Amino acid sequence: MSELSKPEEDFQDPGEAQCPVNVQLLGAEAEVAASASASSLTVSSIATGEFLAPEALKEMKANLIKFLLLKYLAKELTSQAEILKKVLRDNQEHFPVVFSQASHCLELVCGVEVKEVDPREHIYIMVPNLGLTCDVMLSSGQSMPKAGLLVLILSLIMQNGDRAPEEKVWGALSRLGVCVGSVHCVFGEPRTLLTHVWVQEGYLEYRQVPYSYPARYEFLWGPRAYAETSKREVMAFLLRIKERASRAFPPLSAEAAREEDEAA
């Protein structure tokens, strides 16, 4: 029996299923990381012609992110029909907006790409970005995909002449709410992840800057990063993310921006 033909009782309701993190935070992380000033109400109204409160859109997006993550961790396919039936239900007209934003959040924060494998039936599979295998041992409920953060670190190293000073890395991460010394809901404690876990796995090198006193440290690509991806692929990914962000989180109209400033 195929994954898509399983009886409905085999699937947990997205609102009841146990997800390892608060997925509401994933949407916020992605919007900050994409530097996209978004108006959920404006986006949904344009896309569907109907009113949808920002909180309602946020809840639907969070439920869909949770649903897609569970599918990814279980290595299962899904379809538009299944999403409409089990996640959006009475809000099916908002599928384009919710699906676009949820997919973008997954890709940017977790490094999980949602690919359509059957355009006629609209069947989707969730796969790791750029072929990185740092999340290959994940199992449902045990951990969260972290390849999205790894891609961001690799790109930051590229942008700094193939060696990124650690202070620049920590500064960039802190702007995303990933702070040294604090346990992040998705990534854990970042210093441990970057300087121990990913160094031991060969994705990053963390070394002292030659002749620096006091000692300063920098990050470089590790051998496993070179083996599993390339600078060209990372650059293409960044361009794709930027393009998708502009579609998923279009900028505020002048009127909406003015109203938001007045409210603030």
Side-chain angles (χ1 to χ4, degrees):
M1 183 180 293
S2 71
E3 302 292 356
L4 297 176
S5 61
K6 289 184 178 180
E8 183 175 352
E9 58 266 26
D10 286 356
F11 295 96
Q12 289 181 286
D13 184 289
E16 299 172 352
Q18 296 300 311
C19 192
V21 296
N22 182 343
V23 292
Q24 294 276 7
L25 296 177
L26 293 183
E29 296 287 348
E31 291 181 40
V32 172
S35 301
S37 176
S39 171
S40 298
L41 175 59
T42 303
V43 171
S44 192
S45 300
I46 291 173
T48 67
E50 298 187 15
F51 176 86
L52 180 64
E55 286 304 314
L57 176 60
K58 189 179 296 184
E59 181 178 356
M60 283 189 283
K61 182 171 67 174
N63 283 338
L64 182 53
I65 290 172
K66 182 188 295 184
F67 180 82
L68 294 174
L69 272 175
L70 290 172
K71 288 289 187 179
Y72 172 71
L73 294 171
K75 297 180 172 60
E76 295 176 354
L77 303 176
T78 190
S79 67
Q80 179 176 333
E82 184 182 24
I83 292 170
L84 293 175
K85 181 179 182 181
K86 299 179 180 178
V87 183
L88 297 185
R89 296 173 182 163
D90 297 330
N91 298 282
Q92 298 186 6
E93 68 274 14
H94 300 295
F95 174 84
V97 170
V98 177
F99 183 78
S100 175
Q101 292 194 11
S103 299
H104 179 75
C105 291
L106 273 182
E107 185 165 23
L108 187 55
V109 178
C110 297
V112 175
E113 184 178 0
V114 182
K115 285 188 173 182
E116 189 173 43
V117 294
D118 187 335
R120 190 180 68 172
E121 298 294 332
H122 300 294
I123 296 174
Y124 305 97
I125 186 172
M126 279 60 70
V127 297
N129 266 326
L130 304 179
L132 294 169
T133 62
C134 57
D135 295 324
V136 72
M137 297 303 292
L138 288 177
S139 60
S140 182
Q142 296 302 310
S143 183
M144 283 291 296
K146 300 178 177 68
L149 182 66
L150 178 56
V151 172
L152 291 178
I153 299 300
L154 295 176
S155 66
L156 187 61
I157 294 171
M158 288 173 52
Q159 294 166 15
N160 283 272
D162 294 335
R163 55 188 70 228
E166 69 167 340
E167 58 270 20
K168 284 196 174 183
V169 173
W170 304 136
L173 293 185
S174 68
R175 290 192 289 274
L176 303 179
V178 183
C179 301
V180 173
S182 299
V183 178
H184 188 269
C185 67
V186 176
F187 307 117
E189 203 288 306
R191 180 179 291 278
T192 300
L193 179 63
L194 270 65
T195 64
H196 294 284
V197 177
W198 283 342
V199 167
Q200 291 176 357
E201 292 180 352
Y203 287 109
L204 297 175
E205 289 186 10
Y206 178 68
R207 68 187 189 188
Q208 183 178 344
V209 176
Y211 310 111
S212 62
Y213 183 81
R216 292 182 292 108
Y217 291 84
E218 61 187 3
F219 287 98
L220 296 82
W221 279 40
R224 189 170 172 184
Y226 281 108
E228 293 185 356
T229 189
S230 68
K231 295 178 182 179
R232 178 176 295 181
E233 289 177 317
V234 171
M235 186 60 66
F237 167 80
L238 293 176
L239 293 174
R240 185 169 72 251
I241 283 292
K242 183 177 181 181
E243 180 183 350
R244 289 183 180 178
S246 65
R247 293 200 306 264
F249 303 101
L252 291 170
S253 65
E255 181 179 355
R258 184 168 57 255
E259 291 176 357
E260 188 172 270
D261 290 339
E262 291 174 356

